Amino acid sequence: MADDDADDRQFFSEAISELKMENKFTVFKDGGELMDYLQHPETDLPHILFLDLNMPCKTGFDCLKEIRQTARFNDLSIAIYSTSSSEEDIENSFIGGANIYIKKPNDFVKLKKAIKDVVNINWQFHSSGMNMETFLFSI
Amino acid sequence: MKFYIKFDGIAACKVIVREHLDSLGIKYEMLSLGEIIINNKISDEDFNNLQKDLSKYSIEIVSNPKNQLIQRIKDTIVELVHEPDMPLTTISIYLAEKLNLSYGYISNVFSEYTYSSIENYFIIQKIERAKKLIIEEELTLTEISYKLNYSSVAHLSGQFKKTTGITPSMFKRIIERRRLTAKSN
């Protein structure tokens, strides 16, 4: 995940560790760090990326655009993780190529439930070979 | 003449398996010893040939029968939602008849291995089908709800929104605008 807010990063990491998923989870402080990591040829690409929209230097939208222009990242699911619940932001994220839009919950239990639902639906899409082009999920 | 050979059974076995997979044009990943992931779909015919060819070398394909059952359940559900006229039965009766097994058993195996339920999977697949009908065949929601046996348009819209978090009309708008941006780039 990439998020410039330290509290949000910690909140999210705790939720992930409490869900006891056997997945590798890596955190980045901004979009630049994230893109450097993804573009490194030896990086094992993740199944899913959680991306904050408002980050300094490289915003979530910038990362989204770069990722969606690279064929190597075609199978990568992108979840936008944002405080905004405006329909415009949701729609623009999807048009920009996001698969998932998560409105940041301020309650820990809700966050855990949201992550679980997202990981589950993402797994369904990948494991059942469903059409990634029309994979849109908002929570 | 008499000679001795020195061999590495594991390496030999790997080469044999690789050669056969390659000759069938199958894309695969060989993980640890004896674990192979096939990346694209493999036809039943190719799979049977592979099984037959490997058996000459005493190499046997072991697959978990439960996983095979789950795949059959998923395939049957996908086939059902793609029927031009979806039969008006419940998913439980349909699966039990098609697979010739009790629904209780099918449902338990599915939930145990997928951490999801058959009902849930059926809904996801119906919504997937609805998405396709919206953008590819440009059917109206009324036509789609009829085709997929929903009792009303409201029921379909509600389930679409509940499953994806967005409304069918927003879905349609997003896909159309995505395609427009892709074209202009």
Side-chain angles (χ1 to χ4, degrees):
Chain A
M1 87 157 327
D3 196 322
D4 60 316
D5 186 305
D7 288 340
D8 277 348
R9 283 199 303 269
Q10 201 192 348
F11 200 47
F12 200 93
S13 305
E14 273 170 26
I16 292 262
S17 68
E18 278 196 22
L19 283 169
K20 296 194 171 56
M21 290 183 294
E22 289 167 34
N23 296 317
K24 197 182 154 209
F25 176 66
T26 318
V27 192
F28 303 94
K29 291 193 222 45
D30 58 63
E33 234 182 50
L34 167 79
M35 291 312 297
D36 286 347
Y37 173 80
L38 289 179
Q39 266 149 5
H40 196 276
E42 272 167 40
T43 295
D44 259 341
L45 291 180
H47 292 114
I48 186 166
L49 187 66
F50 295 90
L51 207 53
D52 180 29
L53 278 186
N54 300 312
M55 290 183 288
C57 305
K58 229 172 224 176
T59 67
F61 272 124
D62 296 334
C63 297
L64 188 60
K65 206 173 163 196
E66 269 182 52
I67 293 169
R68 284 307 178 224
Q69 281 169 346
T70 314
R72 193 165 78 92
F73 301 138
N74 275 354
D75 288 335
L76 179 62
S77 301
I78 304 179
I80 297 295
Y81 181 62
S82 166
T83 44
S84 161
S85 60
S86 89
E87 193 150 307
E88 204 191 335
D89 278 340
I90 300 178
E91 211 164 311
N92 285 333
S93 303
F94 283 137
I95 291 165
N99 303 101
I100 300 153
Y101 191 97
I102 308 166
K103 158 91 181 73
K104 280 186 188 177
N106 28 30
D107 167 326
F108 191 65
V109 179
K110 280 189 189 144
L111 175 64
K112 276 208 306 196
K113 166 106 179 31
I115 296 174
K116 204 173 155 193
D117 288 349
V118 162
V119 170
N120 197 7
I121 190 96
N122 185 50
W123 183 80
Q124 293 276 12
F125 263 81
H126 281 281
S127 67
S128 296
M130 292 194 268
N131 186 0
M132 291 301 289
E133 199 216 336
T134 58
F135 176 27
L136 305 178
F137 182 64
S138 173
I139 191 165
Chain B
M1 177 183 147
K2 177 180 178 183
F3 64 90
Y4 296 89
I5 55 167
K6 177 176 161 249
F7 61 90
D8 179 347
I10 292 170
C13 174
K14 279 187 176 171
V15 171
I16 293 168
V17 174
R18 276 186 192 283
E19 280 177 351
H20 282 83
L21 287 164
D22 287 337
S23 77
L24 288 168
I26 295 166
K27 287 203 175 118
Y28 61 90
E29 271 172 68
M30 206 176 260
L31 304 176
S32 56
L33 176 67
E35 204 177 350
I36 293 159
I37 293 181
I38 307 276
N39 293 326
N40 40 5
K41 268 207 165 171
I42 167 169
S43 70
D44 284 350
E45 202 196 341
D46 280 350
F47 191 76
N48 288 339
N49 283 337
L50 181 67
Q51 209 155 10
K52 215 169 82 194
D53 290 344
L54 291 179
S55 69
K56 286 183 216 152
Y57 303 96
S58 299
I59 300 172
E60 200 187 326
I61 296 180
V62 198
S63 43
N64 182 342
K66 294 245 163 93
N67 281 335
Q68 283 188 357
L69 175 59
I70 285 159
Q71 199 50 51
R72 277 174 67 210
I73 297 170
K74 287 183 170 181
D75 292 346
T76 310
I77 292 174
V78 171
E79 271 165 34
L80 171 64
V81 301
H82 280 83
E83 292 269 358
D85 293 298
M86 234 176 96
L88 265 170
T89 56
T90 62
I91 186 70
S92 51
I93 294 173
Y94 185 83
L95 282 174
E97 274 178 5
K98 279 274 174 184
L99 303 175
N100 211 9
L101 291 163
S102 89
Y103 184 70
Y105 174 72
I106 298 171
S107 160
N108 279 338
V109 171
F110 194 87
S111 304
E112 189 185 337
Y113 285 82
T114 66
Y115 304 103
S116 171
S117 67
I118 286 184
E119 283 77 11
N120 191 25
Y121 190 78
F122 182 46
I123 291 171
I124 290 176
Q125 287 300 338
K126 276 202 288 189
I127 298 302
E128 276 304 289
R129 181 79 183 127
K131 285 181 185 174
K132 217 169 169 217
L133 293 170
I134 291 172
I135 49 175
E136 282 177 18
E137 310 208 4
E138 301 201 332
L139 295 187
T140 65
L141 272 196
T142 313
E143 288 166 320
I144 296 171
S145 64
Y146 185 74
K147 214 175 163 63
L148 297 177
N149 290 339
Y150 281 91
S151 54
S152 65
V153 187
H155 187 202
L156 167 62
S157 299
Q159 204 163 66
F160 194 104
K161 175 91 207 287
K162 202 174 163 222
T163 312
T164 65
I166 56 179
T167 62
S169 52
M170 186 172 169
F171 169 79
K172 194 176 177 195
R173 208 162 56 231
I174 289 165
I175 299 296
E176 278 167 358
R177 285 189 52 193
R178 251 194 204 176
R179 288 180 175 175
L180 276 178
T181 11
K183 253 187 220 160
S184 62
N185 277 342

